Amino acid sequence: MAETTGSTSPSLHIVVFPWLAMGHMIPFLELSKRLATRGHAVTFVSTPRNAARLGLGLGSVGPPGVRVVALDLPAVDGLPEGAESTADVPRDKVGLLKKAFDGLAAPFAALLAGFSRKPDWLVLDFTHYWAWPIAEEHQIPCAMFIIFAPSHMAITGPEQENEAHPRRTTEDYMAPPPWIPSPCPSAYRRGRHEAERMAAAFRPNASGVADVGRLWAGMHRPICRLVLYRSCPEVELEPPPLFPLLTKLFSKPAVPAGLLLPDGADDDESSSSSFAPAMRWLDEQPRGSVVYVALGSEAPVTAEQLGELALGLELSGARFLWALPRLRERRLLPEGFEARVAGRGVVSSGWVPQKRALAHGAVDAFLTHCGWGSAVESLRFGGGHPLVMLPFVADQGLVARAMEARGVGVMVPRDEGDESFDRDGVAAAVRRAMSEEEGKVLARNAAELGEIVADTARQERIPTLEGAEAQPDSGRFSI
């Protein structure tokens, strides 16, 4: 994030601090690496267990140019012992994890005060409502890095627009808000279940603070100079152009940082030995015959939904590899399921190196929750995998509908009332994505979009930002 005025920028000290979820930490770490390759000194802040998960040593033992600092997460009543990320807790405990995270305010302030070289920039997540006053005290300019799809941020909107146009019912969240210009793309549609989860983000959780309140607390502060988005204009779907809209809505320069994917799949963030048997199984399968199934680490999947998904995979007749990271969820699978699908289906527990799985020649389709990171990883490393899409929360429905409109995937059908799904719908969607006729069309479209995703030079070009105030003579920012 160096301001450039036509000459080479001096080296900066940049502190990067993500929220405690793998879907946040991984792109924040990739951003850190990109900054370091440009000659900047980067301090990446997390907790001890998460640093280990990411394969990071402490101190100077990290990616070249990246220093890793781990802050101990304080204990909170009700939070499982040793829990340091959303992967460690059930969905209903994430609010308590945020409460523990808020306890890092004092250690983070001490960290900033103790640097021999004062940071030039802080890069923070949406969760850090307590960090902005600390930055102001130390007079350190900040950037917020948003890993959600930009369309999700546009729908959330700024506080002043929400006050002017309050959304009081679930139905209010099912329609595009009035601050998004018409005509609105199909991606902005929301089902009732999705709208209810959107509405919940506006209400305080167990941490005592609403997720949207955390976001707005940073957006309001002058010390937050700009907002980075894990995206680029080329992968956004339809008008309105999102980055100018977001700049206007939040009164902060909206900077596309690119998709921040590694150059290849071999350097995956995890090489867990627990996945080795699954990789050996993949090696034994015919080329293009397997559907890879992964719903991320935060999808609030119920026991009933797990059962329908499992029985749908069984009913589809397809070979499948299912990454099910939580052991407690594996115990909820239907009785006898794994025995019945033995040989053509594998359930893998533990953290799965997803990019390696997607890049494997045996994989033909990807059944996904359509988190933004997973969607772009599939396009980048899958080489044209059709998506079977089963969204749950946050921006996932938006991403899924955008991918559907791009012709790269099919939705698992849901009931329009309660948005439930069943085994027949799962089986039908898998068969469509892997069919000879429709599957080939989806794969071709996915490959074409994947070429855009892989074009890092286009994504990382320096955007022009009218009205940027960091330097009087500068209208450009670069990472």
Side-chain angles (χ1 to χ4, degrees), residues 307-330:
E308 291 300 314
L309 177 54
L311 296 173
L313 291 170
E314 181 179 354
L315 186 63
S316 73
R319 292 180 173 88
F320 66 88
L321 170 59
W322 188 355
L324 197 61
R326 293 186 175 96
L327 183 60
R328 60 180 174 272
E329 292 180 339
R330 186 168 184 170

Side-chain angles (χ1 to χ4, degrees), residues 212-430:
V212 171
R214 291 174 181 272
L215 171 76
W216 287 341
M219 289 288 194
H220 288 169
R221 300 273 184 168
I223 202 73
C224 179
R225 303 288 179 82
L226 63 143
V227 184
L228 300 172
Y229 291 88
R230 188 191 184 188
S231 188
C232 59
E234 291 79 10
V235 300
E236 297 303 330
L237 183 60
E238 306 172 48
L242 280 173
F243 293 101
L245 175 62
L246 289 166
T247 296
K248 180 180 179 181
L249 284 174
F250 291 99
S251 301
K252 307 282 183 184
V255 182
L259 298 173
L260 297 173
L261 294 170
D263 293 332
D266 291 337
D267 61 342
D268 200 284
E269 64 277 357
S270 172
S271 57
S272 171
S273 59
S274 66
F275 191 58
M279 289 301 293
R280 287 194 294 270
W281 179 84
L282 273 180
D283 292 340
E284 297 168 356
Q285 305 311 305
R287 185 171 185 83
S289 66
V290 174
V291 56
Y292 170 60
V293 183
L295 301 180
S297 60
E298 295 187 68
V301 188
T302 65
E304 181 181 359
Q305 290 169 333
L306 277 174
E308 291 300 314
L309 177 54
L311 296 173
L313 291 170
E314 181 179 354
L315 186 63
S316 73
R319 292 180 173 88
F320 66 88
L321 170 59
W322 188 355
L324 197 61
R326 293 186 175 96
L327 183 60
R328 60 180 174 272
E329 292 180 339
R330 186 168 184 170
R331 292 170 179 156
L332 297 175
L333 294 176
E335 186 176 355
F337 165 72
E338 291 190 68
R340 293 194 302 272
V341 298
R344 73 168 177 91
V346 170
V347 179
S348 179
S349 298
W351 186 255
V352 171
Q354 180 161 287
K355 293 187 287 292
R356 285 175 55 200
L358 289 169
H360 198 285
V363 173
D364 178 63
F366 180 24
L367 196 161
T368 171
H369 63 310
C370 260
W372 183 231
S374 289
V376 296
E377 282 182 2
S378 177
L379 294 168
R380 172 67 176 87
F381 299 107
H385 292 331
L387 301 179
V388 181
M389 300 178 295
L390 187 58
F392 286 91
V393 297
D395 60 344
Q396 295 165 10
L398 294 171
V399 173
R401 287 188 291 276
M403 295 298 105
E404 184 181 42
R406 287 271 182 134
V408 301
V410 297
M411 289 276 204
V412 173
R414 290 179 181 260
D415 181 271
E416 291 188 6
D418 61 9
E419 293 204 351
S420 61
F421 62 90
D422 61 27
R423 65 198 72 176
D424 294 321
V426 171
V430 170

